[in-house]
Amino acid sequence: MRRAFLLLLILLGCAPWNQPLQGENPALVEPATIGDGALYVGLAFSGGGFRATAFAYGMLEELRAAGVETGTPDGLLDHVHLVSGVSGGSIMAAQFGLNGPAGLTRFRDRVLVQDGEEYMVTSRLNPLTIAKGMAGVVNRRDTFGRWLDERLFHGATFGDLHERSRVKTWINATDMANNVPFLFSPETFDALCSDLSKVRLSETVAAAAAYPLVFTPIVLEAHHGRCDYREPDWLTAARHNPAVTAAMRARARALESHADPDEVKLVKLPDGGITDNYRATGLAVERARAQVPHAPLTAAEAVRLKRMLFLVANTGVDQDDDWTKKVPGPGGEALAKSIATIALAAASRSGYDSMRGELRQWESELIEWRCAVRPPDGTAAM
């Protein structure tokens, strides 16, 4: 009976929720540019639970206050063109992407000071919690995801994000099987023959924030043969290019596996901070796959651009544990927590360095590209 009960928990915890694709995914996360594009603000929100959400919220409020002299009530928020987030930072990224500055209204009261564990199993003294932990299903997508949907997203999907968003919105989790970031993008869902437009933002954020040992990994189904999938040109080129970066090679390998029915039937997604706490890999992939120096800017955006501000919210903390002051320990829960924290901290440090390097390279290539652009009459370079 006990074995059957645990099996039931596993089946419930692993239920996939993405729908098959009919046709192909449009560029759902690439909205039109707002304003004149002279100032381009990009934001990256790291992981770190609700602490990360609070940091991201504070950053947005300060950006609103910093530009009030421009005559607009939302200040510099009107110039935010790109927002990315993982783990706890994905809550604010998805909310801002969907609703813009209006999404900050009462956000603190509706989210930050509320009990985000309302539907979660948290008691370490409850035998049921231990049983679920052994089965790998401590908290499923219908716990935190349900809370997010009721508080913030109200059933909104990526299709709604595309229709309502004024900014490029990037959310990522971790692809456990391939050890790479899982990007919630049309390209990824094309390989899965799955409809990104039907994916709820609450489910996406729940996947991005599925911290190991606390949440069950979110599960997606690969709907092989349900669409006419063709691998992107960059992937074909990367397969035969020995100079391609390790990040691009890993991304290509992941897409190949998603499209192969002999390799992947289910994709399991824990916290995005495990592999990339700032989505630096996603930025590098987006730039490389576009094969143009100005990407992810469009050519028109790159020409109009005068100033760029890219802010990263780093919500990491220094670990201070009592077991460093005595011979015994860590053990049990403390050991498991320490291992998870070490992995996330290491990813955070390398991710930050990678983000800085990628932005410097982007700046250099963008300047070089702009200097080579000529007016329509071809008389002089810009």
Side-chain angles (χ1 to χ4, degrees), residues 48-61 88-89 91-92 95 103-117 144 147-148 151-152:
F50 273 113
R51 182 181 70 256
T53 309
F55 269 59
Y57 169 75
M59 177 184 285
L60 291 174
E61 286 288 19
I91 299 174
M92 196 70 254
Q95 170 71 349
L104 298 180
T105 304
R106 298 185 62 245
F107 182 85
R108 179 182 181 277
D109 294 334
R110 289 186 291 118
V111 177
L112 295 180
V113 298
Q114 299 300 321
D115 180 13
E117 299 177 350
F144 189 49
W147 187 86
L148 288 170
R151 290 280 172 178
L152 285 178

Side-chain angles (χ1 to χ4, degrees), residues 2 9 28 33 42 44 55 64 84 123 139 165 179 184 201 207 231 245 260 262 271 304 306 315 347 369:
R2 180 180 178 184
L9 288 176
L28 294 176
T33 301
F55 269 59
R64 173 149 58 185
S84 70
S123 174
N139 288 289
S165 182
N179 304 315
F184 282 88
L201 292 178
E231 67 179 35
T245 65
D260 188 343
D262 294 329
D271 194 305
R304 290 197 300 266
K306 293 182 179 178
T315 56
W369 179 84

